[in-house]
Amino acid sequence: MKARSLCLRGLDPRISHHRPSFLRQISSSPLPTPTIAALLTSSVLAGRGENSSVTVNGFVRSVRKQKSVAFAAIGDGTTVEPLQAVLSPSQADGLATGTSVQLTGAWKPSLQGKEQSYELQVEQLKVLGGTDSSTYPLQKKYHTQEYLRTIPHLRPRTPFNSLLLRLRSHSIARLTSFFAQREFVQTHPPIITSSDCEGAGEVFTVATCAPEAPPSAQTPLHNSSNAADDTRSDGSFFRAPKYLTVSSQLHLEALAQSVGRVWALSPTFRAERSDTSRHLSEFYMLEAELSFVDSLDPIMTLVEDMIRDLVRSLYDSRVGQELLFAKRTGEGGKEDLISMTGKVLQSRWEGILSSPWPRITYTRAIQRLHEAVRDTDVSFEAHPSWDTGLQAEHERFIADDIGKGSPVFVTDYPQDTKAFYMLPSRPESGGGEVKSAPRPTAACFDLLMPEICEVAGGSLREHRLAELLRSMDSRGMIGTRRPPSTGGDAEPPPANRTFSDEDLGNLKWYADLRRWSSVPHGGFGLGFDRLLGYLSGMKNIREVVAFPRWVGRCDC
């Protein structure tokens, strides 16, 4: 192999007829010191730089010493491929894995050419930061992901974890461009909120480190325009309980009614005690809201186009080519079981780029599960039932059976299992299948990906004030809710019931969006980290987050 640049070694045949844009963009670096990715690409492809003097900064991955010469593999995180540096024995003396160096020398054709067609023959070496080879945590050997999670501050220095950082950066840039081209306004909704958007109660409460003083002992608020505000304070910093956001949707609805279409990529927090490979306590959600839509179809099409566009961009990027064709091995050559092979990963991408993704109603999905149990040897631990919802095993079957490798939209779930803000389904939705549902359904959808199940969810929002208040009241979200009947079930709230501002509490502002001229609208939320895990082939979501937090763990 003449060149070790993996973007040449395994370039996807569908883009081999032209020079990928990432190669055109990276051929010349605007920085005085080129990155290793730029140096490898420019020399191999353009034939430039032969015998020229270059300076490279990076970390030593390994050192191999011989009697008259030494070789060092240097990485800087811009590519999984190391640069081969040729040194004298005296220059290599004291170098060890993890040492940061600055190398200056001649960029020449490699005499052996086994790993790279070019190599850096070092003339000057400057050690920028030394390491103790006996205690350095990232030795030249295989490290399990469980071990690497214990050193999250050093984990990104490994080649594949640095690749995951670049995948995140590439994806954010591409998504930003995607929404800008469609005239969406990027916004920054608050992280501290006054309500639990999803209603699950799994929220983190915000509090100061110092003990809160009782209301009677507090200093009056400066410049307070309403003295009554002080008397209503509960003694906390914000005068009432506040939480870390579980979703930016409610605030995005307010912003969408001013500029039409908005989106945000924001941190989200859930105090869910789930210690699985699919859950985190802090993660990023990509959320979008659109005004003047009265059907789920444009929202689902937006989600589909967005993910397709991102995958297409990966095929034409260094990050994507490295994900597909980088060696799936650990530091010491042992097969890495945390991710899948490039061939399997490419089949995932091709499934996303295949024909339009199927759209099926929840009612039809339950029917299909029943048919599978009745007519085939398929069995489930949890019997599929319209009332009990779709379990993970059901979602995986639907993705495989209906999607056949591509994602699947499932629409119109039972209304009483969904959030208060969702608009009821229209009778003609789902080709009329909604009419056959045992109970009312909501105009909503979940996007199921093969193997990992739900990645995104969206809905039309209830934009009518009376109907929204009735939905909130039936769920016990309004302060003066009527007591339950003697039968134990809550009485349905009357259509003409009125509520005070105090009744609405922290959601008064949300009701005001309907009170003061609302419009039909809808939107979606997508688990950004979960999507990155699917696109990179990582089996645990904790590997695609630089500093993962989950129940019982919040290191550094």
Side-chain angles (χ1 to χ4, degrees):
M1 182 175 60
K2 295 299 183 183
R4 203 181 175 204
S5 177
L6 56 85
C7 54
L8 292 181
R9 183 173 60 213
L11 198 62
D12 188 85
R14 287 176 292 181
I15 60 172
S16 59
H17 65 280
H18 73 288
R19 190 181 182 196
S21 60
F22 80 88
L23 300 181
R24 296 193 298 271
Q25 296 166 359
I26 206 171
S27 294
S28 59
S29 172
L31 301 175
T33 301
T35 65
I36 290 177
L39 189 59
L40 292 177
T41 303
S42 61
S43 296
V44 171
L45 292 182
R48 297 181 302 177
E50 183 174 339
N51 293 318
S52 61
S53 179
V54 297
T55 298
V56 173
N57 297 314
F59 291 85
V60 176
R61 291 187 185 174
S62 64
V63 180
R64 179 165 52 93
K65 300 178 182 178
Q66 299 179 359
K67 185 175 182 180
S68 58
V69 68
F71 300 92
I74 309 297
D76 65 356
T78 60
T79 174
V80 296
E81 297 293 329
L83 177 145
Q84 179 168 284
V86 182
L87 308 97
S88 66
S90 60
Q91 289 174 324
D93 188 35
L95 292 185
T97 299
T99 303
S100 58
V101 294
Q102 183 180 80
L103 307 175
T104 301
W107 188 242
K108 294 184 176 182
S110 175
L111 297 179
Q112 297 180 344
K114 293 182 179 180
E115 297 296 328
Q116 292 178 357
S117 57
Y118 282 76
E119 61 191 14
L120 182 65
Q121 296 188 4
V122 178
E123 298 167 356
Q124 297 180 6
L125 182 148
K126 181 180 180 181
V127 175
L128 303 177
T131 59
D132 184 343
S133 59
S134 63
T135 60
Y136 183 57
L138 295 176
Q139 296 291 327
K140 189 178 181 294
K141 64 178 183 179
Y142 176 76
H143 299 292
T144 67
Q145 286 302 308
E146 289 75 14
Y147 169 73
L148 290 175
R149 288 189 212 119
T150 67
I151 49 171
H153 55 301
L154 298 176
R155 183 174 67 163
R157 297 189 188 183
T158 63
F160 198 77
N161 280 280
S162 66
L163 173 59
L164 293 176
L165 284 178
R166 290 186 283 120
L167 169 64
R168 178 178 289 267
S169 176
H170 171 93
S171 300
I172 293 173
R174 187 67 184 191
L175 291 167
T176 301
S177 174
F178 174 88
F179 282 109
Q181 290 171 3
R182 288 155 181 79
E183 298 185 282
F184 277 72
V185 176
Q186 185 175 12
T187 64
H188 296 106
I191 292 176
I192 301 175
T193 69
S194 58
S195 61
D196 174 7
C197 172
E198 298 297 326
E202 298 163 340
V203 295
F204 289 99
T205 301
V206 176
T208 59
C209 295
E212 303 284 5
S216 59
Q218 285 188 3
T219 302
L221 298 176
H222 295 291
N223 302 322
S224 175
S225 59
N226 187 352
D229 288 344
D230 292 342
T231 63
R232 289 198 296 264
S233 172
D234 66 353
S236 63
F237 185 87
F238 290 109
R239 299 179 294 164
K242 304 301 173 185
Y243 316 98
L244 295 181
T245 182
V246 298
S247 171
S248 298
Q249 178 207 311
L250 304 189
H251 294 92
L252 290 180
E253 287 189 50
L255 300 177
Q257 295 200 31
S258 65
V259 291
R261 285 171 282 190
V262 297
W263 77 286
L265 181 61
S266 304
T268 303
F269 307 85
R270 297 197 182 179
E272 186 176 0
R273 293 183 175 274
S274 297
D275 188 9
T276 75
S277 61
R278 300 174 64 243
H279 291 89
L280 290 170
S281 298
E282 177 186 357
F283 53 95
Y284 271 72
M285 285 286 289
L286 190 159
E287 298 178 87
E289 286 291 323
L290 300 80
S291 294
F292 306 105
V293 294
D294 57 6
S295 168
L296 286 176
D297 289 329
I299 304 174
M300 291 189 288
T301 298
L302 176 67
V303 175
E304 184 171 345
D305 290 346
M306 176 190 70
I307 298 177
R308 284 176 183 270
D309 181 77
L310 176 57
V311 172
R312 278 193 291 265
S313 75
L314 286 175
Y315 269 118
D316 197 27
S317 70
R318 168 175 287 276
V319 168
Q321 292 299 308
E322 290 188 351
L323 282 170
L324 290 177
F325 302 109
K327 291 181 180 179
R328 301 285 169 149
T329 56
E331 297 297 310
K334 182 178 179 180
E335 285 299 319
D336 196 340
L337 301 179
I338 62 162
S339 60
M340 58 186 57
T341 64
K343 183 177 180 180
V344 175
L345 184 62
Q346 186 165 356
S347 70
R348 278 190 174 185
W349 294 10
E350 291 172 350
I352 290 174
L353 298 178
S354 64
S355 57
W357 302 348
R359 300 177 182 183
I360 181 175
T361 66
Y362 172 87
T363 300
R364 175 57 190 147
I366 294 295
Q367 292 172 353
R368 180 68 193 100
L369 293 169
H370 288 166
E371 293 168 357
V373 173
R374 182 191 64 208
D375 302 334
T376 69
D377 59 355
V378 173
S379 62
F380 302 104
E381 291 187 10
H383 180 71
S385 167
W386 202 91
D387 294 319
T388 56
L390 296 176
Q391 306 302 313
E393 58 178 337
H394 303 149
E395 293 180 338
R396 282 192 291 269
F397 176 84
I398 292 170
D400 294 338
D401 181 71
I402 305 297
K404 300 188 184 305
S406 72
V408 178
F409 288 104
V410 179
T411 68
D412 302 285
Y413 283 73
Q415 189 172 24
D416 55 9
T417 66
K418 290 298 182 178
F420 73 95
Y421 51 74
M422 292 188 180
L423 190 73
S425 302
R426 293 179 175 178
E428 66 273 16
S429 299
E433 289 179 355
V434 168
K435 294 181 180 179
S436 63
R439 295 198 307 276
T441 61
C444 63
F445 68 85
D446 281 350
L447 176 62
L448 308 182
M449 291 280 195
E451 300 179 58
I452 65 169
C453 304
E454 181 189 354
V455 171
S459 74
L460 297 178
R461 319 308 191 190
E462 180 56 82
H463 59 282
R464 302 162 298 180
L465 177 61
E467 286 76 3
L468 177 69
L469 295 179
R470 193 175 302 120
S471 175
M472 293 169 60
D473 192 29
S474 67
R475 288 167 168 79
M477 301 175 63
I478 296 182
T480 58
R481 187 188 183 195
R482 304 176 74 201
S485 64
T486 56
D489 295 327
E491 297 178 1
N496 60 350
R497 190 166 178 229
T498 59
F499 305 98
S500 67
D501 291 350
E502 186 176 1
D503 290 337
L504 297 177
N506 291 327
L507 287 174
K508 175 188 175 297
W509 69 271
Y510 187 69
D512 280 348
L513 295 177
R514 278 73 177 165
R515 180 173 287 110
W516 311 118
S517 184
S518 182
V519 300
H521 60 285
F524 71 89
L526 178 144
F528 184 60
D529 303 303
R530 191 171 290 183
L531 177 64
L532 293 184
Y534 184 77
L535 296 180
S536 62
M538 304 306 293
K539 298 179 180 180
N540 193 317
I541 193 174
R542 296 165 188 168
E543 317 315 342
V544 298
V545 177
F547 299 98
R549 280 86 167 89
W550 68 96
V551 58
R553 292 290 295 274
C554 183
D555 299 334
C556 77

